[in-house]
Amino acid sequence: AEVKLRVADSFPVGHFIPKYYTLPFMEKVKAATGGKVDFEYYPAQQLGKVKDFLSLTQAGVADIAYIAPAFISDKMPLSGVVELPGAFPTSCAGTKAYWEVAKSGPLAKEEFAPNGVRLLYMLVNPPYQILSRNEIKGLDSLKGQKLRTAGGAMEIMARKLEVVPVRMAGPEIYESLSRGTMDGLVFPLPNLMEYDLQELVKYSTSGQNFGSFVHNFMINERKFQSLPKDVQAAMLKIGEEITLESCKQIDADVKPAIETLKKAGVTFVELPEKDKQALGPLLSGVGTEWAASLDKRGKPGTAVLEAFNKALKAQ
Amino acid sequence: MMALTITLLLLALLAIGTPVGFALGIAGSVGLYWVGGFPILLGILETTPLSSASSYELITVPMFMLMAEFIIVSGIAERLFQCAAVWVGRVPGGLGISAAIAGAGFGAICGSSTASAATLSATSIPAMMRQRYDPEVAGGIVAITGTLAMLIPPSVALILYGLVANVSIGKLLIAGIVPGILVTLTIILTILALIAINPKVAPRGDSYTMREKFASLRVVGPVLMLFLLVTGVIYLGVATPTEAAGLGAFGAFVLAIRSGRLTWSNGYKAVVNAAHTTCMIVTIIMGAHVFGYFFTITQVTPTIVSAIGNADFSPGLVLALIIVVYLILGCFMDQVAILILTVPVTLPVVMALGYDPVWFGIIVIVAAEVGMVTPPLGLNVFVVSRYTGRPVGEVFRGVAPHVLTHLILLAILASFPEIILWFPSTMK
Amino acid sequence: MLIALGRLIATLERCYIAIAVAVMMSIMLIIVVDVACRYLFNAPLAWAFDLISLYLMAALFFFTLSDTLRARRHVNVDIVYLHLSPRWRAGADLLTSVLALIFFLPIFERGLDRAAGAFVSGDVLSGPIAWPTWIYYGLVPVGVAVILLRLLLQAARFLLIAGGRTDITAPEEGNAEDEALRGGSAT
Ligand code: NA
Ligand code: NA
């Protein structure tokens, strides 16, 4: 191979994200370019901590890396638009809208170019549900429950829902939940099994969107520009294909996840109609607050929020 | 080839006395520069120091160190030893057995085995000398007993293993309890065996009235409280291990205040000591990361793992070899460095053979206990020798029988994993 | 000159260690208050996690870095070192100091660059509390600056000793066994 690219992520071997995204991406690019590029794949934080992947990519330690904006909200605050609750019903809806604003829209210009990276492929988690050991009847029953949130916009939401946000490092979730240090968590359903949490939660909301999370895979822009034109084109094309195709797989995995959870004894609760009505304005208030705080810092928060919502509506 | 050269550079730096963390960082940096020039080296050096220091779960380390320092100030070890002596002092070898029991009790509230050896030396050895114990035997008992603190929770060593191996710290700590009790019993049995060979080495002690016996129990309350505040809280899930460590430090702080011995000056010094130790550990972690990234880029670990996998050795043989390597390393190196350096390489091998990572953690710690008392670098022996003014060689000789029985116990624990794994399996 | 530099470094280290002590006690108290508030009032401190994992742990490390070196609390393996003559030991220490200096220099430079970048662009973390990140990145150059000075001083000192001159900059040091003892008290 003419060029060898180092690819780094934080996922354990066998995780579904590399399975649906990174491994096929590498295979297809290799095939499409007739072996001009080869990849060295470093999973499981072997090349650095997940928060450092942007810096490591900028420095050239990795050429392509998993860069989750939520972990570096100081460097990519605008990407937080996908994390806002209430916006979209499926992974594909969120993925397509984000892809729209990210590929050539404001995010590419405001957030990726200044950081010297380019988006190759990405996915948005299926909307988060609220899961708890305690019974969930309606919004009132959530009040005062200690729920693990991931910080950022989710914490603004927690305040609006009057739940008690608990911050907990990933490895401590299982123990804290199993022993009642916290009551529940705001989480994507398929990922619960990754942490073995299905036995620990008893109730879950159904069909809501209490936030989400975007996983970006990005390449160092300088490195990208140094690649032969056909390789560049192949990477962009395959990246887009994978992004728009694999989200269907992510959405398809929600159903079996719900089945697994039901079998493990989790009750799915449809929120009462009047709560659903109340939830709309409550959650869109989170977005307004989020955008306003960015505007104040001279970042186009409102513009990105509007572009994202427009992309969602256009679907 | 590259990996070998850089490893040799590391060994050379270690040999000339370069601090372990620095040596790892320097050798790793040279390697990274070799592999990828300045961009890679600077990229790693930009991110690694900060992210090595600012991990949330690492909080357990300074908190357990702080807890140990405050407990030393509180003088609770003396009272624990006196209590044990009042109850079992009358039997042959009574004071030695008391030291072992007090060591286990102290280990249940102190996460550092050198701190434990230091406090036990200051309290129990003078008492044993007054009863005309053989100094060799007395020193040996205290040196080995000190190591219990790294096996019985809380334990900084177990925390470090958990952080490096990415294993549930709660489970690891709870898994240390049963082996800790077994090690205590082994120490007691060894003392009794020594007496059977030569009764003069450890004479009978004084007897006490029931009244004195019950009066001495007053110390048990605070120790038990502190034990429950940390290990009990973790077992029951009232708080995470991270939080339990903070609670433990605070409990020890309160105990130190109540003992009346805490002053501004010794309190300040205690915190500085804990901060120094934390810094030392984080420096090694940082250096090990830099070195580890070099290893990753040169693909050394997977090569070793697959080489061992392909060599078709029996799992038991591989495990035995790994334990022997740990015992040998324990002769020369600090246990923190050993853990942080080797676990990333040995754990994948052991797990590929189908062993349990929690169980392996305990095995590594029991092997590390031996390392604390074997020459030439046996920190606990140095501690005992310094606190008692006895020659180092004498203490090494005194601890030798304990090393032997400890190794037998290690073999048993390695052969019957259920002994270790049963208790943590009852957590839910 | 060296004596003045030595005094300056010692003063800086004393200030730093005082900060580290305050940080250590703060971590302990924040955890206790956080747990207590969670159980008693169902209201954990929302800022505790970020404050500790973002600022306090890093501060604890970087503010003790140099003083730990001064106090010789970094562990080392000294099987060979112990058998060297004082002058050879100084030579070994000189090599260590120079190499460590070269190791920490880029860490300082990169850290300064990162902190300055975050400061200029006013980077903060998203969420209810907008934690500025330049403080976090700034801990690196602030801490490493002093250990660089300390290493420079040590290099000068060991150079004098290795060259057979008497050391005029620092008090006696303990024997190596004592140092091993002071260093490895963690496990
Ligand atoms: Na202990
Ligand atoms: Na040893």
Side-chain angles (χ1 to χ4, degrees):
Chain A
E2 280 172 33
V3 257
K4 216 169 204 185
L5 298 175
R6 275 188 294 270
V7 181
D9 70 27
S10 63
F11 302 106
V13 177
H15 191 277
F16 69 87
I17 291 185
K19 196 171 91 194
Y20 294 157
Y21 291 85
T22 303
L23 299 178
F25 176 82
M26 295 190 298
E27 277 314 308
K28 286 182 180 169
V29 170
K30 256 196 280 185
T33 56
K36 262 193 205 166
V37 269
D38 200 2
F39 298 95
E40 272 173 8
Y41 176 48
Y42 297 95
Q45 305 202 63
Q46 280 180 8
L47 220 49
K49 295 269 190 283
V50 67
K51 278 184 189 172
D52 290 333
F53 278 147
L54 175 63
S55 302
L56 293 170
T57 310
Q58 289 169 337
V61 177
D63 300 309
I64 297 173
Y66 166 63
I67 296 173
F71 295 140
I72 42 166
S73 64
D74 53 332
K75 296 290 178 200
M76 295 190 175
L78 296 167
S79 286
V81 72
V82 232
E83 296 161 30
L84 296 173
F88 49 85
T90 60
S91 167
C92 274
T95 300
K96 280 174 189 155
Y98 184 85
W99 185 250
E100 207 57 45
V101 287
K103 195 181 52 177
S104 49
L107 287 185
K109 201 174 89 215
E110 296 281 343
E111 207 147 82
F112 303 156
N115 279 310
V117 286
R118 170 184 293 259
L119 183 62
L120 286 178
Y121 56 99
M122 44 87 37
L123 72 146
V124 171
N125 273 351
Y128 285 26
Q129 303 301 320
I130 291 180
L131 300 114
S132 177
R133 295 152 45 103
N134 306 328
E135 186 167 5
I136 298 175
K137 282 185 252 153
L139 290 182
D140 274 340
S141 65
L142 293 175
K143 287 182 182 162
Q145 291 208 32
K146 293 184 288 259
L147 303 180
R148 190 253 184 187
T149 66
M154 232 182 246
E155 219 133 307
I156 305 177
M157 176 183 78
R159 226 172 30 203
K160 296 213 186 273
L161 294 174
E162 292 174 57
V163 305
V164 181
V166 180
R167 296 295 296 282
M168 196 68 65
E172 287 190 334
I173 295 180
Y174 182 91
E175 290 179 48
S176 317
L177 196 59
S178 71
R179 264 78 69 53
T181 312
M182 61 190 191
D183 301 309
L185 66 173
V186 191
F187 223 61
L189 297 177
N191 300 50
L192 281 169
M193 272 61 87
E194 239 175 84
Y195 291 84
D196 238 355
L197 302 175
Q198 66 275 20
E199 311 277 331
L200 303 180
V201 290
K202 297 283 164 247
Y203 294 88
S204 167
T205 58
S206 172
Q208 295 301 317
N209 178 335
F210 288 109
S212 190
F213 190 99
V214 60
H215 309 265
N216 286 343
F217 292 82
M218 313 187 92
I219 186 168
N220 178 313
E221 179 69 28
R222 247 180 304 116
K223 189 81 192 184
F224 183 78
Q225 293 305 340
S226 77
L227 297 173
K229 285 279 174 271
D230 58 326
V231 175
Q232 290 183 0
M235 280 187 161
L236 293 181
K237 182 167 158 283
I238 291 164
E240 175 149 25
E241 276 168 20
I242 287 189
T243 300
L244 299 179
E245 271 307 305
S246 295
C247 70
K248 293 175 192 160
Q249 189 59 51
I250 301 288
D251 280 329
D253 283 353
V254 173
K255 217 180 217 170
I258 292 177
E259 288 312 311
T260 312
L261 287 167
K262 277 185 180 158
K263 246 183 236 139
V266 178
T267 312
F268 281 84
V269 179
E270 194 70 41
L271 290 182
E273 206 46 47
K274 81 169 185 359
D275 280 5
K276 280 187 190 165
Q277 301 283 327
L279 204 53
L282 202 72
L283 294 185
S284 73
V286 177
T288 327
E289 210 172 292
W290 172 86
S293 78
L294 282 170
D295 290 345
K296 233 189 318 186
R297 283 168 42 213
K299 313 236 175 216
T302 305
V304 169
L305 180 59
E306 277 166 8
F308 185 72
N309 282 334
K310 205 175 122 205
L312 275 177
K313 279 216 188 78
Q315 283 175 18
Chain B
M1 197 51 229
M2 204 187 259
L4 187 68
T5 313
I6 295 298
T7 308
L8 289 176
L9 171 65
L10 173 67
L11 293 178
L13 287 172
L14 289 176
I16 64 162
T18 306
V20 177
F22 293 8
L24 284 163
I26 293 166
S29 295
V30 173
L32 286 168
Y33 177 76
W34 192 356
V35 173
F38 273 119
I40 287 201
L41 174 61
L42 294 181
I44 297 279
L45 290 186
E46 174 175 317
T47 51
T48 308
L50 197 53
S51 42
S52 303
S54 56
S55 124
Y56 182 76
E57 297 130 86
L58 196 64
I59 299 170
T60 34
V61 172
M63 289 301 107
F64 279 152
M65 289 319 303
L66 192 59
M67 183 180 177
E69 293 290 340
F70 283 141
I71 285 173
I72 293 173
V73 172
S74 77
I76 205 162
E78 286 161 41
R79 295 173 54 209
L80 254 180
F81 173 70
Q82 278 154 12
C83 169
V86 166
W87 282 85
V88 297
R90 188 73 198 109
V91 301
L95 280 186
I97 294 170
S98 305
I101 293 171
F106 194 64
I109 55 172
C110 169
S112 151
S113 92
T114 11
S116 177
T119 16
L120 286 173
S121 319
T123 53
S124 61
I125 291 189
M128 287 192 262
M129 299 314 278
R130 274 196 299 278
Q131 287 196 358
R132 292 201 295 279
Y133 267 56
D134 183 297
E136 220 178 273
V137 170
I141 293 170
V142 173
I144 189 76
T145 301
T147 68
L148 275 171
M150 66 197 278
L151 183 57
I152 299 175
S155 157
V156 173
L158 277 171
I159 298 279
L160 287 175
Y161 174 85
L163 288 175
V164 178
N166 209 1
V167 171
S168 158
I169 286 171
K171 282 219 161 100
L172 267 176
L173 290 176
I174 300 302
I177 295 177
V178 170
I181 294 169
L182 293 179
V183 171
T184 314
L185 291 175
T186 307
I187 296 171
I188 293 173
L189 287 175
T190 312
I191 297 170
L192 293 176
L194 289 172
I195 295 169
I197 296 165
N198 179 3
K200 282 202 189 120
V201 296
R204 221 172 262 276
D206 308 322
S207 66
Y208 295 84
T209 65
M210 272 331 259
R211 213 188 142 120
E212 285 170 311
K213 283 186 178 171
F214 284 105
S216 77
L217 283 180
R218 280 218 312 256
V219 66
V220 176
V223 170
L224 205 62
M225 287 261 289
L226 215 48
F227 177 69
L228 290 177
L229 193 60
V230 181
T231 306
V233 153
I234 293 173
Y235 185 76
L236 298 171
V238 177
T240 63
T242 313
E243 293 167 342
L247 295 179
F250 185 71
F253 179 56
V254 172
L255 213 64
I257 294 174
R258 278 199 39 191
S259 73
R261 298 182 186 206
L262 186 71
T263 62
W264 278 105
S265 113
N266 69 10
Y268 190 83
K269 231 179 119 194
V271 185
V272 171
N273 274 338
H276 278 158
T277 314
T278 306
C279 178
M280 177 272 279
I281 292 175
V282 175
T283 308
I284 297 180
I285 292 177
M286 174 187 80
H289 275 143
V290 173
F291 195 78
Y293 294 140
F294 161 71
F295 253 41
T296 305
I297 292 181
T298 47
Q299 306 270 351
V300 173
T301 310
T303 314
I304 295 177
V305 175
S306 67
I308 292 174
N310 294 337
D312 208 30
F313 293 134
S314 79
L317 179 64
V318 175
L319 184 73
L321 285 175
I322 290 178
I323 294 176
V324 169
V325 169
Y326 274 105
L327 293 172
I328 293 171
L329 285 176
C331 292
F332 306 104
M333 272 177 82
D334 182 74
Q335 297 300 336
V336 174
I338 295 178
L339 279 174
I340 295 171
L341 264 182
T342 60
V343 170
V345 182
T346 55
L347 186 68
V349 173
V350 169
M351 283 179 70
L353 296 174
Y355 289 108
D356 184 284
V358 170
W359 167 82
F360 183 62
I362 301 296
I363 295 292
V364 169
I365 300 300
V366 176
E369 286 188 298
V370 177
M372 299 297 288
V373 295
T374 49
L377 179 68
L379 280 177
N380 274 17
V381 169
F382 294 167
V383 169
V384 171
S385 142
R386 182 161 79 169
Y387 276 83
T388 56
R390 312 289 310 190
V392 174
E394 180 184 289
V395 186
F396 274 127
R397 277 197 303 281
V399 86
H402 294 282
V403 169
L404 191 69
T405 51
H406 206 100
L407 289 176
I408 296 171
L409 179 64
L410 177 59
I412 294 171
L413 292 173
S415 316
F416 303 99
E418 341 37 294
I419 303 176
I420 292 170
L421 292 175
W422 166 75
F423 200 40
S425 75
T426 64
M427 293 167 81
K428 190 63 197 177
Chain C
M1 235 291 275
L2 282 181
I3 295 176
L5 179 65
R7 283 211 191 102
L8 170 73
I9 296 169
T11 310
L12 283 171
E13 282 167 345
R14 266 200 303 277
C15 296
Y16 274 26
I17 211 74
I19 296 173
V21 167
V23 166
M24 181 83 103
M25 293 305 279
S26 308
I27 295 177
M28 179 184 89
L29 292 173
I30 291 170
I31 293 175
V32 171
V33 172
D34 186 28
V35 173
C37 284
R38 196 172 69 220
Y39 277 94
L40 300 178
F41 314 112
N42 206 30
L45 310 176
W47 43 268
F49 184 95
D50 282 330
L51 181 69
I52 296 179
S53 60
L54 193 61
Y55 297 146
L56 295 184
M57 277 304 286
L60 183 59
F61 175 65
F62 286 102
F63 280 111
T64 32
L65 196 53
S66 182
D67 198 61
T68 307
L69 180 66
R70 177 200 57 77
R72 291 200 151 235
R73 288 286 307 267
H74 285 292
V75 270
N76 44 15
V77 186
D78 31 26
I79 341 170
V80 176
Y81 185 84
L82 281 181
H83 297 284
L84 299 176
S85 74
R87 274 183 72 173
W88 276 100
R89 278 189 194 179
D93 288 336
L94 175 63
L95 188 61
T96 294
S97 305
V98 171
L99 290 175
L101 202 61
I102 297 171
F103 172 67
F104 277 108
L105 207 58
I107 296 179
F108 173 78
E109 192 274 330
R110 291 283 77 216
L112 194 63
D113 186 66
R114 223 177 170 196
F119 183 76
V120 169
S121 54
D123 288 351
V124 298
L125 291 185
S126 299
I129 302 176
W131 304 101
T133 50
W134 66 267
I135 301 179
Y136 172 62
Y137 295 135
L139 291 167
V140 178
V142 165
V144 174
V146 179
I147 201 175
L148 283 175
L149 291 176
R150 165 66 60 194
L151 286 165
L152 202 63
L153 180 74
Q154 286 195 348
R157 222 177 76 207
F158 294 131
L159 189 65
L160 288 177
I161 306 173
R165 308 252 215 101
T166 42
D167 173 24
I168 46 153
T169 60
E172 267 308 283
E173 274 157 29
N175 65 51
E177 190 175 282
D178 253 25
E179 277 152 24
L181 229 172
R182 272 183 286 157
S185 57
T187 51

